[in-house]
Amino acid sequence: MQFSIKQVLDLALQHHSENRLRDAAKAYRQILQRHPNHPVALHLLGVVSHQIGKDETAIKLIKRALSIKPNYPEPYNSLGNVYKDRGDLEEATPYYHKAIALFPKFAEAHSNLSSIYYSQGKFDEAIASCRKAIAIDPNDAKSHTTLGNAQKESGNLHEAIACYRKATEVKPDYLNAHNNLGNTLAAVGELESSIASFETAISIKPEFAEAHYNLGNVFLERGKLDDAVTSYHEALAIKPDYGEAHNNLGNTLKKLGKLDDAFASYHK
């Protein structure tokens, strides 16, 4: 019994959405064996190729899909992702713009473009793109977080806090939002709330070294030196080459009068 193209594509999409990439790729190839110019299968096989680290193959497949269907916005967004993930931000940018030109309500493309602008230090542009993404999809936690990051870099700390809180509201397990919220709360002196944010991040992912380190910094600032030492040790147990944690552990041990241990941390 031969399945229809739609049935195979539906199966491929299910595999893809559940991160069974090998099975998804196999199904996309089955479609292409029967219809070599199927733009959706070409595009999504390209996406899988990018996900498994075969970027050159991904670029060829996605560009082939666009040669067949030039007004197909999703492949432009995907090409942007390939170049962005390779660190080629200038190459990625026009692909996001093209996706948005074809589909102005493409929230993901606006969000991805905001990440490019943020990485380039173009914070006003990042804020504008984030707001466009959020207007289309108010539950886009990534855009709320990027907006918070851009607001923080622009010196708008309380606006950043509101953005991070919104991100954690729509996606309670969003680690980066909790961590960034904690850092920003600490920056405005709300240390108890900052501690709560880091502890929430750690409860979600106990091996989140950066959150342990940041929690240690707040404990150090509050003068809770023993708690700071514990947090730095937790960070270093997860990430032994965490230079900043070794340094701040040394600072804390020095304040405790444990000079030999402090020297050992500094040397480490």
Side-chain angles (χ1 to χ4, degrees):
M1 176 180 176
Q2 189 176 56
F3 294 103
S4 70
I5 292 295
K6 183 182 183 304
Q7 288 173 316
V8 180
L9 182 58
D10 287 344
L11 179 61
L13 291 170
Q14 183 177 344
H15 287 315
H16 204 162
S17 68
E18 295 174 4
N19 208 39
R20 295 191 295 272
L21 300 183
R22 180 177 295 181
D23 292 331
K26 181 179 178 181
Y28 293 136
R29 289 191 184 99
Q30 287 175 347
I31 295 170
L32 293 170
Q33 285 173 356
R34 291 162 60 183
H35 293 277
N37 292 326
H38 195 289
V40 175
L42 286 166
H43 165 222
L44 294 176
L45 183 57
V47 172
V48 171
S49 298
H50 173 53
Q51 289 176 290
I52 63 175
K54 296 182 177 180
D55 285 349
E56 294 303 324
T57 299
I59 290 168
K60 290 176 182 177
L61 286 165
I62 298 170
K63 285 186 174 180
R64 187 173 156 205
L66 287 170
S67 72
I68 296 161
K69 190 176 179 181
N71 293 327
Y72 184 7
E74 285 83 357
Y76 289 104
N77 183 64
S78 297
L79 269 179
N81 291 340
V82 175
Y83 287 113
K84 176 170 68 74
D85 292 346
R86 293 173 65 163
D88 194 343
L89 304 187
E90 294 294 337
E91 186 73 20
T93 300
Y95 289 111
Y96 293 133
H97 280 299
K98 181 65 175 178
I100 292 165
L102 290 169
F103 182 31
K105 291 189 175 182
F106 198 163
E108 184 181 344
H110 285 291
S111 180
N112 289 332
L113 186 58
S114 74
S115 297
I116 294 276
Y117 286 139
Y118 177 76
S119 297
Q120 293 173 326
K122 298 176 180 178
F123 302 126
D124 289 342
E125 291 91 335
I127 288 169
S129 288
C130 284
R131 285 176 172 159
K132 289 175 183 176
I134 291 166
I136 299 163
D137 181 6
N139 292 323
D140 181 0
K142 177 187 171 186
S143 289
H144 285 293
T145 301
T146 304
L147 179 56
N149 295 343
Q151 293 282 21
K152 182 180 179 183
E153 293 295 335
S154 299
N156 304 321
L157 300 187
H158 290 285
E159 289 88 341
I161 287 168
C163 294
Y164 296 138
R165 282 186 167 142
K166 184 63 178 179
T168 62
E169 178 185 320
V170 299
K171 188 177 180 183
D173 63 348
Y174 199 171
L175 288 170
N176 286 339
H178 286 291
N179 187 58
N180 293 357
L181 176 59
N183 284 331
T184 313
L185 288 166
V188 300
E190 296 185 27
L191 300 185
E192 288 300 323
S193 295
S194 172
I195 288 170
S197 290
F198 294 131
E199 288 178 339
T200 299
I202 291 165
S203 72
I204 296 166
K205 185 180 179 182
E207 66 275 19
F208 190 6
E210 187 178 349
H212 286 287
Y213 167 73
N214 290 330
L215 181 58
N217 292 342
V218 177
F219 283 140
L220 177 58
E221 186 172 349
R222 292 196 62 211
K224 293 188 171 184
L225 303 185
D226 290 332
D227 289 333
V229 168
T230 298
S231 291
Y232 292 136
H233 278 305
E234 291 282 357
L236 290 166
I238 299 161
K239 187 179 177 182
D241 62 348
Y242 203 155
E244 296 91 338
H246 284 292
N247 183 70
N248 286 10
L249 175 59
N251 293 339
T252 312
L253 292 167
K254 182 180 176 183
K255 286 179 179 288
L256 286 166
K258 299 178 179 180
L259 298 185
D260 289 342
D261 291 337
F263 278 125
S265 288
Y266 292 138
H267 280 299
K268 189 71 174 179

